Amino acid sequence: DVRDAAMAELMYGSGLRVGELVGLDVRDSAHARGWLDLADGLAHVLGKGSKRRSVPLGQASIEAIRAWVACRDLGLKPRHLEQTALFIGWGGTRLTATSVWTRLRHRALQAGLDTAVHPHMLRHSFASHVLQSSGDLRAVQELLGHANITTTQVYTRLDFQHLAKAYDAAHPRAKKKS
């Protein structure tokens, strides 16, 4: 549960892709695809197109990661303690993207959600919330690691749909008369 909470918090809190999440190592090394710097509050990831980027970690993410790291190696056999992956299973091996999907779906069911929750939904929520709060599409593009601004613009259309619904529900001139 501690590991799964940390994964969910990191995906939502930093907008990571599931592949970026499972690529994270405990520490920086010559072979690391990604790692976390909790002292500086940054996640360094290798995104699509082998592009590196750094994204900020929120306080909730940092606390969840610290809780996971504190119990990560418990019960592992000494030969598995060499494993550098941040998110590992009981056998000490790196989690796969499929296992993250399964764990996230399980957490959603436990929470009583009837919606099929998947990792990209957390990334999408991250982007929508940052855009709604800041209005800065360029910043969202950088945080998500999108090469092209048009990829990020989907979030403006979604934001407009939200505004249109609010308008239709609240403005007296929006009501259509039969």
Side-chain angles (χ1 to χ4, degrees):
D1 281 346
V2 175
R3 178 201 60 205
D4 296 350
M7 291 187 311
E9 187 59 51
L10 194 52
M11 284 186 289
Y12 171 68
S14 296
L16 299 185
R17 295 176 178 97
V18 68
E20 294 166 346
L21 180 86
V22 298
L24 291 172
D25 283 350
V26 175
R27 62 193 149 287
D28 184 16
S29 72
H31 307 297
R33 289 179 15 215
W35 69 95
L36 301 180
D37 183 342
L38 298 181
D40 285 342
L42 291 172
H44 303 280
V45 298
L46 183 64
K48 281 188 174 179
S50 296
K51 294 181 184 174
R52 289 215 176 266
R53 75 178 191 287
S54 298
V55 294
L57 298 171
Q59 192 59 39
S61 293
I62 291 171
E63 290 171 12
I65 294 298
R66 284 192 173 133
W68 164 239
V69 169
C71 64
R72 176 186 172 272
D73 297 337
L74 297 177
L76 289 179
K77 295 180 175 108
R79 72 177 191 273
H80 291 130
L81 293 178
E82 302 272 335
Q83 176 60 260
T84 60
L86 176 61
F87 294 111
I88 57 175
W90 285 111
T93 58
R94 185 180 299 272
L95 289 182
T96 64
T98 302
S99 61
V100 173
W101 275 69
T102 302
R103 298 305 312 150
L104 189 57
R105 191 172 312 125
H106 178 72
R107 286 183 67 80
L109 290 172
Q110 281 182 321
L113 299 178
D114 56 359
T115 302
V117 176
H118 51 84
H120 194 76
M121 188 179 285
L122 296 176
R123 179 172 162 84
H124 181 87
S125 295
F126 163 83
S128 295
H129 292 155
V130 171
L131 182 59
Q132 286 173 1
S133 297
S134 71
D136 190 341
L137 187 64
R138 183 78 171 98
V140 174
Q141 176 190 6
E142 289 294 319
L143 290 168
L144 293 176
H146 288 161
N148 195 322
I149 194 76
T150 57
T151 307
T152 315
Q153 284 177 325
V154 68
Y155 298 105
T156 60
R157 286 192 289 279
L158 294 170
D159 196 40
F160 179 77
Q161 288 172 350
H162 171 74
L163 292 174
K165 284 181 186 176
Y167 171 82
D168 289 343
H171 198 282
R173 299 257 189 242
K175 310 266 190 272
K176 292 183 180 178
K177 295 184 181 177
S178 322

